[in-house]
Amino acid sequence: MHVIIAPIDCIGPQPPQLLPPMQQQNTLPSDSQREAKDQSQVALEIITTMPPIPALFTLSVDSKGKIICTQPSQLVYLLTFDSPPDNRLTPAFCSSFILALNILDRRFPKGTVVTTSAIPKFYSNGLDYESAIKSKTFFSDSLYPLWRRLLTYPMPTVALINGHAFAGGLMTAMMHDYRFMNPHRGFLCLNELEFGAPLMPPMSSIFRQKLPNPNTYRTMVLEAKRFNALEALQEGIVDGLGMVQEVLKFVQELKLVEKAKSGVYGKLKMEMWRETRGYLEDYAGSEKKIKEELELEKRKEAKEEESVVEWEHLKSRLETVTTFGCLYISMHERREKDRPPTIGPLDLNGYITTLASVVCGPNTTTMTTNTSTPNERILPSSNLRLYSTKSLQEDHADLLSSLTALINLCYSDGHTSSPYGILLPYSSLRLPTQASLVGEVGEEGFVLILSIETLEGVQVPIASASAKPFKELGYHEVEGSELLTNFKRKAAAPVLDPASSSGVTKNLGSSDIGEPLSALRTDTALPKWEILCNVVHPDYQKRGIADEIYNALIAEIRRREPEPKRIHLVITTMKELREAYYQRRGYVTTGKKRFDKGVGGSEVGFSVVEMEKIV
């Protein structure tokens, strides 16, 4: 970049200059001529018909642009930008602008500096944003030093906004002491909202400090409103309307050329605009603070998202709460309670129950057909019922909804109250939707439900168990437990059934992503069933309900498989929670997969086991 001291015929067209009134009337086109031409042509005529004023100096901006300094009046210095196409605030532009200010400050008498553009359409169209954010030094070495120089300049400064001033272009104008705007052309706008750019501290503080009404800044930032000249004047963004003549009159009326003589003009502005100046000078500190705030905001957003997800999951669990009262009370409100050792009546704010009539003896395994509904079975003298998925979907939608909520509640209770720690977060759903349960059980399976009855006669489930015929590779391949979906079976090495004298073999399979722990030998003729969800509401556990429902479940499987007398059972469960329970009931662990800490939000990690038994 270099300085050119040249006569007028070497530097081309000059910016609009002030002429005496009579000469201006004789020189400018008539009103009828103006109406016949567009604004850009009029502006060009204004420039070309006025006698040029010799430039004090000219500075180049890259290879195509320049900044021209003229003196239209005594001690009034006019810096005119001519950096096509729209006076973007590039490093070269900022460097030449700063140099022009330094030359006037150091080599010319103190007066007033006015800035404008030789491009009729634009004062400045702001930053080249993509290039600016990729540069590590643009803000610290180019833009902020320019703004700081303007903000604390030791002479009065006036931005003559002849055309559009958008984003950084408007911010540059705000760094001046005063602003005038072309009444016939241009808009002022902070359009960061439209192209997705955040405001940095000095970009925001200058408006907070200089605009008289905070609502104006709100409209600027949050609505990206484009202010025309009259609106900008009414809102206090600019101090007047007009072009060079009006600016010179304004300078004369306020005697601005005399303000810098005492030598404290710049120092006064340093204190006036301390907040913005501080941001401009401490770029590194501001940048660090911004990064810290962004990281904090990300963490806040993550927590906010977590709270919404938890609400959504809780809403799913409690979708029937208006009907079923406090049965599905939030885990955050419900804590461990003293549980009676046996089944007894339930007292839930006026709810009644037939639990006392549940038979916990041998006859719980006896099911009779409900002739009115072929897809249901009912235990005599109790409210333990059997349903097909078709029956639940078509005839008992409310019951299916509350059952889904019950299963999710029971699994979350186990995951979050384990002595090992939080195995899975409370927001982890066993069944994301009602369709998950239907798809998992399938048409060939069945669901047992033990329920209580409300005063309105509505059945509310408190315990359930389900089963279906086992299918190789068919472990929960439906929307539902992501945990169990990842634990599938493949055909594996044959194992022998010790009870079979013929030595018949059967490919039981082992986890394709887990480790086989032991081999269970079986006859190929044995029917194979998979036990799915076996749950009891947390407030009714440790009363023998789970065992009774399990016994009823096995009895129903036997009823469906009358021959042979032996049945092969399979269950997949979380090792930390239920492995010991099923081992006490004769199950053998045949496969395992370990999930490390962090998987699914687990705080301690967990294992999923496959267990098998022949009954």
Side-chain angles (χ1 to χ4, degrees):
M1 196 238 325
H2 58 281
V3 182
I4 303 174
I5 307 295
I8 186 61
D9 56 357
C10 297
I11 61 174
Q14 298 302 302
Q17 309 295 342
L18 176 65
L19 298 178
M22 291 300 296
Q23 185 177 353
Q24 184 179 23
Q25 292 175 4
N26 295 333
T27 305
L28 292 176
S30 66
D31 291 340
S32 60
Q33 290 174 322
R34 282 179 181 272
E35 293 173 357
K37 301 172 183 177
D38 61 22
Q39 289 183 341
S40 60
Q41 183 64 28
V42 172
L44 180 62
E45 287 191 359
I46 293 176
I47 294 174
T48 56
T49 55
M50 289 183 176
I53 298 175
L56 299 179
F57 59 85
T58 299
L59 304 180
S60 64
V61 178
D62 290 328
S63 59
K64 299 180 180 179
K66 56 183 176 288
I67 296 178
I68 307 166
C69 180
T70 56
Q71 190 172 352
S73 181
Q74 186 69 23
L75 297 180
V76 177
Y77 307 107
L78 180 65
L79 294 177
T80 305
F81 316 137
D82 188 7
S83 182
D86 50 8
N87 293 326
R88 290 278 178 169
L89 299 174
T90 63
F93 183 94
C94 294
S95 178
S96 296
F97 197 165
I98 293 173
L99 179 58
L101 294 173
N102 291 344
I103 292 172
L104 290 175
D105 182 24
R106 297 296 178 180
R107 294 294 182 267
F108 289 85
K110 295 293 187 286
T112 298
V113 175
V114 180
T115 66
T116 192
S117 170
I119 301 172
K121 186 176 181 180
F122 294 99
Y123 175 77
S124 172
N125 207 18
L127 284 61
D128 181 353
Y129 183 68
E130 294 299 326
S131 299
I133 61 177
K134 292 178 182 178
S135 172
K136 295 182 179 180
T137 60
F138 172 73
F139 291 98
S140 59
D141 296 351
S142 298
L143 185 64
Y144 284 8
L146 169 62
W147 285 355
R148 199 265 184 202
R149 187 70 166 123
L150 281 170
L151 190 65
T152 62
Y153 199 64
M155 303 183 212
T157 56
V158 182
L160 172 51
I161 306 171
N162 59 292
H164 299 314
F166 276 39
L170 176 56
M171 296 170 193
T172 300
M174 292 300 297
M175 300 295 168
H176 292 64
D177 299 325
Y178 305 95
R179 284 156 296 285
F180 261 67
M181 188 173 178
N182 182 347
H184 306 298
R185 164 168 236 163
F187 291 102
L188 306 184
C189 178
L190 291 183
N191 59 334
E192 281 75 6
L193 177 69
E194 296 176 342
F195 62 89
L199 288 175
M200 296 182 178
M203 299 176 178
S204 180
S205 66
I206 190 64
F207 290 95
R208 289 198 303 270
Q209 288 192 287
K210 289 197 173 185
L211 291 181
N213 187 347
N215 290 338
T216 304
Y217 185 42
R218 179 187 65 189
T219 303
M220 273 185 165
V221 175
L222 300 184
E223 300 174 24
K225 176 180 172 60
R226 299 186 178 195
F227 293 83
N228 61 31
L230 183 59
E231 291 171 332
L233 179 64
Q234 292 171 342
E235 296 293 339
I237 305 172
V238 299
D239 301 281
L241 304 181
M243 295 300 285
V244 176
Q245 179 180 357
E246 287 75 21
V247 170
L248 292 178
K249 183 178 179 180
F250 176 79
V251 170
Q252 183 180 8
E253 289 177 351
L254 270 63
K255 299 180 181 180
L256 292 184
V257 295
E258 302 176 7
K259 304 302 180 184
K261 291 181 179 180
S262 64
V264 297
Y265 196 83
K267 295 180 176 62
L268 293 174
K269 292 197 290 186
M270 289 179 66
E271 179 57 34
M272 283 180 65
W273 316 125
R274 173 182 290 274
E275 178 187 350
T276 301
R277 177 174 62 86
Y279 288 132
L280 292 171
E281 293 174 349
D282 186 22
Y283 171 77
S286 297
E287 187 76 3
K288 180 180 178 181
K289 185 176 181 181
I290 290 173
K291 290 181 179 179
E292 292 174 350
E293 290 176 348
L294 289 177
E295 289 298 322
L296 180 61
E297 191 64 24
K298 287 181 180 179
R299 291 195 293 270
K300 288 182 178 179
E301 289 176 356
K303 289 183 178 180
E304 291 163 358
E305 176 65 19
E306 182 179 345
S307 69
V308 173
V309 168
E310 183 174 353
W311 171 79
E312 290 174 337
H313 291 169
L314 185 61
K315 182 174 178 290
S316 174
R317 294 188 185 93
L318 307 183
E319 57 187 349
T320 57
V321 71
T322 54
T323 302
F324 303 126
C326 59
L327 177 64
Y328 299 110
I329 190 168
S330 168
M331 283 291 297
H332 296 292
E333 299 173 7
R334 189 193 65 77
R335 292 294 89 193
E336 291 295 329
K337 300 177 181 178
D338 294 330
R339 295 171 176 143
T342 59
I343 300 175
L346 174 66
D347 181 13
L348 287 178
N349 298 328
Y351 282 74
I352 62 173
T353 178
T354 57
L355 272 179
S357 64
V358 174
V359 180
C360 297
N363 59 344
T364 55
T365 62
T366 304
M367 293 283 185
T368 60
T369 303
N370 183 339
T371 56
S372 63
T373 311
N375 288 317
E376 298 178 28
R377 292 180 132 68
I378 183 169
L379 181 65
S381 302
S382 80
N383 52 355
L384 177 62
R385 290 177 171 84
L386 181 145
Y387 300 86
S388 68
T389 53
K390 180 180 180 181
S391 174
L392 286 173
Q393 280 186 300
E394 296 180 357
D395 305 320
H396 303 282
D398 290 342
L399 183 61
L400 176 60
S401 175
S402 56
L403 176 60
T404 302
L406 170 67
I407 292 173
N408 283 331
L409 175 65
C410 292
Y411 272 80
S412 294
D413 178 72
H415 295 158
T416 56
S417 60
S418 166
Y420 299 96
I422 304 298
L423 299 175
L424 284 173
Y426 183 70
S427 58
S428 176
L429 289 179
R430 174 64 174 83
L431 300 171
T433 66
Q434 298 174 32
S436 303
L437 178 62
V438 173
E440 190 171 306
V441 176
E443 295 181 358
E444 298 179 358
F446 63 90
V447 181
L448 286 176
I449 302 176
L450 177 64
S451 59
I452 62 174
E453 186 178 353
T454 69
L455 291 172
E456 292 78 14
V458 178
Q459 295 295 322
V460 184
I462 64 167
S464 177
S466 53
K468 69 176 181 179
F470 178 82
K471 293 181 180 180
E472 205 76 47
L473 292 177
Y475 275 7
H476 312 296
E477 293 183 9
V478 296
E479 181 183 12
S481 173
E482 179 181 353
L483 167 66
L484 299 184
T485 302
N486 289 330
F487 194 82
K488 298 179 180 179
R489 301 282 286 176
K490 288 184 178 179
V495 293
L496 297 178
D497 182 357
S500 173
S501 58
S502 62
V504 176
T505 63
K506 165 74 173 175
N507 284 348
L508 281 182
S510 63
S511 170
D512 57 319
I513 49 178
E515 54 177 299
L517 299 184
S518 63
L520 183 68
R521 302 174 183 182
T522 182
D523 193 314
T524 54
L526 293 184
K528 195 172 183 179
W529 279 72
E530 180 179 4
I531 297 176
L532 302 171
C533 300
N534 187 4
V535 299
V536 178
H537 190 282
D539 288 340
Y540 293 91
Q541 294 173 5
K542 299 181 181 179
R543 305 188 192 187
I545 296 178
D547 288 343
E548 295 306 325
I549 292 184
Y550 175 80
N551 291 338
L553 186 82
I554 301 303
E556 176 62 17
I557 294 174
R558 286 188 180 279
R559 190 194 67 79
R560 298 186 179 211
E561 302 284 358
E563 296 293 340
K565 296 182 179 181
R566 301 169 73 222
I567 301 172
H568 188 169
L569 301 177
V570 179
I571 188 166
T572 304
T573 188
M574 190 173 284
K575 173 181 174 66
E576 291 79 1
L577 296 182
R578 304 288 286 174
E579 184 182 40
Y581 173 86
Y582 286 109
Q583 283 177 343
R584 290 194 296 269
R585 282 147 185 82
Y587 283 81
V588 176
T589 301
T590 56
K592 181 181 76 170
K593 181 184 177 183
R594 177 65 185 173
F595 293 84
D596 294 330
K597 176 181 178 181
V599 174
S602 175
E603 296 184 2
V604 293
F606 56 91
S607 296
V608 175
V609 294
E610 183 181 83
M611 307 183 74
E612 302 181 37
K613 176 184 179 181
I614 297 175
V615 296

